[in-house]
Amino acid sequence: MERPVTVLVAELDPEGDERTAQDRLVTSWTAAVRRHDQRGAVAGFSHEVVAVVDASADSAKVAP
């Protein structure tokens, strides 16, 4: 990484349709990250969604 970043992590609720919730969360976070940091990244894992954004971005606005 060539710049200071913030890592945001959302853990999915273990109850419910996890795959559908993860897909929606990844889509939502990707859109939010792109609005605040064009070089940011979002990845969905089995139980979490992780975003890496510029440290100067307002985390409260990035995480929907």
Side-chain angles (χ1 to χ4, degrees):
M1 308 247 162
E2 297 178 2
R3 62 190 176 142
V5 296
T6 299
V7 177
L8 305 169
V9 179
E11 183 176 11
L12 298 171
D13 186 354
E15 298 182 23
D17 184 0
E18 196 169 300
R19 185 69 195 159
T20 301
Q22 182 183 22
D23 289 345
R24 284 191 311 234
L25 191 56
V26 168
T27 299
S28 175
W29 273 36
T30 299
V33 165
R34 292 292 174 249
R35 282 193 301 273
H36 297 281
D37 180 5
Q38 288 293 313
R39 297 188 311 164
V42 177
F45 298 98
S46 60
H47 298 287
E48 302 90 24
V49 175
V50 177
V52 179
V53 297
D54 190 276
S56 66
D58 184 347
S59 299
K61 290 182 179 178
V62 174

